[in-house]
Amino acid sequence: MILAVAALFTAVSCKSSSSDPAPDPVGPTIVVTFPVDNTEFFTGKTLSVDAVLTSGSALSTLTASVTWVSELDLTAMALGLKSVLSPWNPTPKVVTLNGTSAQTLAAESLFSPIPATAKAGNYKLKLEVKDSAGKSVVEEILFTIPN
């Protein structure tokens, strides 16, 4: 019984007090409101992003990239037909952020307009945000360039 009371007293006395320093930030967050998964972007149009970026530390950079995922025309793919067009593969873009703990992107154009030579298909937009503490977060959105 005495040992149980002593263990309880020790556990209670080891709790952190409100004067302890705050823990390290958990890292940045991305809340993307546009585009949502399966949005269609037509050739000649610009892929733009609406998002809210936050962090417990200063926001440093946003890196955006696009990768090819799959064919749209499954019949042509099954028949082994090859398109003369190439998947859209823009150069990844690195954006220096404002250095505060929050930033809003409103219709942020991250790449040049989608070229007419872009192959129709499913693509993935990858957004990576880094903060001054060296922490990062990635958000991926699937989109389509239709025929």
Side-chain angles (χ1 to χ4, degrees), residues 10-70:
T10 302
V12 170
S13 65
C14 289
K15 288 180 81 175
S16 63
S17 69
S18 60
S19 64
D20 288 345
D24 287 340
V26 294
T29 63
I30 305 172
V31 177
V32 178
T33 55
F34 184 82
V36 296
D37 276 339
N38 302 313
T39 298
E40 290 185 339
F41 288 96
F42 294 89
T43 59
K45 300 297 180 187
T46 301
L47 190 161
S48 61
V49 174
D50 293 343
V52 176
L53 316 175
T54 59
S55 180
S57 299
L59 294 164
S60 297
T61 60
L62 166 69
T63 303
S65 61
V66 170
T67 55
W68 167 258
V69 176
S70 66

Side-chain angles (χ1 to χ4, degrees), residues 42-45 88-89 112-119 145:
F42 294 89
T43 59
K45 300 297 180 187
W88 184 42
N89 187 24
S112 299
I114 300 168
T117 57
K119 185 175 187 176
I145 297 176

